[in-house]
Amino acid sequence: MYVNSPNSNSDLTARVIPCLDVAYGRVVKGTNFKQLTDMGDPVELAKMYEQQGADELVFLDIKASVDGQQSALDMVYQVATHLSIPFAVGGGIKTLKDVHQFFHAGADKVTLNTMAVEKPELINQISTQYGSQSIVVAVDVNHEENGELAIYTHGGSRRVDVDYHQWIEEIVDRGAGEILLTAMHKDGTGSGFDTDLLAHFGADFPVQVIASGGAKGPQDFLDAIHAGADAVLAAGLFHRGEYTVGEIKDFLIDNDIKIRKT
């Protein structure tokens, strides 16, 4: 549902979303989901990105599906008390009760990856109980050396036997409001988003698609939106201070992309 497509009647604007990967209560960044480096405190970074004009934020507790979710819940509560823009959170969500706890702590959306694959009916349950706008399904896909598109869970550490194209269709059918598409082979490389993957969705795709993995500069954001992304998510270039959210948005506006400007 590409918002800037000439074939779309959508009045939605493209979104710029900083992503904060969290491990043990700290924001981290790596390359291809490995070699993690400490990037700072999630609450302080969240406040900074809101001031820069971020449309929303995504927090992914990349260790929670392995180590438990209490640290993620504590972080959500702290973030919610300091933030006024919407934010999504993922990590360690296993049941509808877990979802309720995250919403009760202050999250606006939940993001599923591991449990979406292991317990796909949870997508239906969340969509039915809270509405499709409340659920983002994260798809971590890697372009393998043999050319295959492989799906990974558990913070990118475990390959699963799920067909990529069929899984995308199933996510939509089960009621997800958005797909967070992370190209693992691009993650942290600065080689640009995977525009070929994005182009397959098309202007009439029924849910919003968030592009993730590979951003180096403003042109990459523009290319992703032109390829078909409704929103563009990045981490490293924001965390390292290479660009602000405002600078990315100014570039997009200068290139005729509809976007919210603060």
Side-chain angles (χ1 to χ4, degrees):
M1 195 166 62
Y2 168 29
V3 296
N4 286 274
S5 169
N7 300 318
S8 173
N9 295 320
S10 174
D11 60 356
L12 298 173
T13 58
R15 291 169 289 148
V16 176
I17 306 173
C19 180
L20 298 91
D21 291 333
V22 179
Y24 312 114
R26 299 288 293 179
V27 176
V28 296
K29 189 70 187 86
T31 300
N32 305 125
F33 282 41
K34 299 176 182 178
Q35 300 172 327
L36 301 179
T37 302
D38 188 294
M39 303 302 292
D41 177 74
V43 175
E44 293 305 314
L45 285 173
K47 290 161 62 177
M48 180 182 72
Y49 293 138
E50 179 174 25
Q51 292 168 356
Q52 290 181 5
D55 294 294
E56 56 190 84
L57 300 176
V58 171
F59 293 87
L60 300 177
D61 193 321
I62 60 175
K63 296 296 184 182
S65 60
V66 179
D67 301 315
Q69 67 173 179
Q70 188 56 48
S71 63
L73 279 170
D74 293 342
M75 178 200 66
V76 168
Y77 178 79
Q78 292 299 321
V79 169
T81 60
H82 293 89
L83 204 66
S84 60
I85 59 173
F87 71 96
V89 63
I93 297 172
K94 295 181 174 63
T95 67
L96 203 58
K97 180 180 177 182
D98 295 334
V99 173
H100 176 73
Q101 288 180 318
F102 275 110
F103 286 147
H104 184 70
D108 299 281
K109 306 176 186 179
V110 292
T111 300
L112 293 185
N113 181 343
T114 298
M115 286 309 297
V117 173
E118 294 185 355
K119 188 181 176 183
E121 63 271 18
L122 187 58
I123 302 172
N124 304 71
Q125 294 169 1
I126 296 170
S127 180
T128 299
Q129 179 96 14
Y130 298 102
S132 61
Q133 82 290 338
S134 69
I135 179 170
V136 182
V137 174
V139 178
D140 292 341
V141 58
N142 191 59
H143 201 283
E144 307 284 85
E145 291 184 2
N146 63 2
E148 186 179 357
L149 291 172
I151 299 293
Y152 284 76
T153 60
H154 294 80
S157 65
R158 185 179 303 178
R159 179 174 173 172
V160 292
D161 186 21
V162 174
D163 180 82
Y164 166 75
H165 298 287
Q166 292 179 0
W167 180 230
I168 294 294
E169 291 182 9
E170 183 174 348
I171 290 168
V172 174
D173 291 343
R174 287 185 178 276
E178 296 178 89
I179 292 174
L180 170 53
L181 185 71
T182 298
M184 292 178 60
H185 49 284
K186 291 282 192 174
D187 182 70
T189 65
S191 60
F193 297 99
D194 192 326
T195 54
D196 291 336
L197 274 182
L198 294 168
H200 289 152
F201 288 91
D204 59 349
F205 191 70
V207 306
Q208 296 261 300
V209 178
I210 306 169
S212 171
K216 183 177 182 180
Q219 185 65 45
D220 296 323
F221 288 75
L222 181 64
D223 291 344
I225 294 171
H226 280 160
D230 300 283
V232 192
L233 177 148
L237 88 171
F238 291 137
H239 299 339
R240 292 187 296 268
E242 295 165 6
Y243 293 93
T244 66
V245 175
E247 288 170 340
I248 299 296
K249 284 191 163 188
D250 286 342
F251 180 84
L252 295 176
I253 290 169
D254 289 343
N255 284 274
D256 301 320
I257 299 297
K258 293 187 297 184
I259 204 158
R260 181 182 68 90
K261 179 64 176 175
T262 55

